[in-house]
Amino acid sequence: MPNGRAVKARGRNWETAVVMIWRRIGFPRAKRNGAVFGSKDRGDVGEIPVTCQAKAVTRVQMWQHLDEALEQARHNGTGVAACVVYKRHHAAPEDAAWVLPGRFAEELLRSYYS
């Protein structure tokens, strides 16, 4: 059973990896938000047009995490533009699992295939 420091380090390291993904896909100013917004959390990654939660958890609670990301999106002013990026055990960061709310996924697919 990992101790509190190890769990926090795993989360922090995953957030950093997700920031690097955002930078690689074209958002060079992406950065970790940390706990700077307190109870009005705006996601784990800042300086991007989406509210992004990074999760390095052993138990995926997709609906709860997506609801949290959408609540943070309200604080961040991004509407339904929110995502949860899950770390996959023994997988590279680029093979992470991304969860999006349906309305946002529809917007992305419409713009990509139009």
Side-chain angles (χ1 to χ4, degrees), residues 65-104:
H65 296 147
L66 188 56
D67 286 345
E68 290 169 2
L70 287 167
E71 175 67 24
Q72 293 172 8
R74 282 190 281 283
H75 299 155
N76 202 21
T78 62
V80 296
C83 65
V84 181
V85 185
Y86 286 103
K87 180 179 185 337
R88 293 178 56 209
H89 193 59
H90 297 302
E94 51 274 3
D95 294 325
W98 292 62
V99 177
L100 311 170
R103 288 177 288 167
F104 183 44

Side-chain angles (χ1 to χ4, degrees), residues 105-114:
E106 286 178 28
E107 289 176 23
L108 292 173
L109 291 168
R110 190 177 302 111
S111 69
Y112 184 80
Y113 288 107
S114 295

Side-chain angles (χ1 to χ4, degrees), residues 3-74:
N3 66 30
R5 270 188 283 187
V7 170
K8 285 185 181 208
R10 182 175 65 209
R12 184 177 55 250
N13 291 342
W14 180 239
E15 289 174 7
T16 300
V18 172
V19 164
M20 298 312 292
I21 293 170
W22 281 103
R23 289 179 181 172
R24 191 172 59 244
I25 62 175
F27 298 92
R29 295 182 57 209
K31 64 179 181 65
R32 285 184 63 242
N33 273 339
V36 297
F37 296 105
S39 65
K40 297 290 185 186
D41 194 357
R42 297 181 183 181
D44 293 326
V45 183
E47 302 294 330
I48 58 174
V50 175
T51 299
C52 180
Q53 274 289 91
K55 294 290 182 185
V57 294
T58 55
R59 185 169 169 232
V60 172
Q61 297 174 304
M62 184 172 63
W63 302 120
Q64 178 183 338
H65 296 147
L66 188 56
D67 286 345
E68 290 169 2
L70 287 167
E71 175 67 24
Q72 293 172 8
R74 282 190 281 283

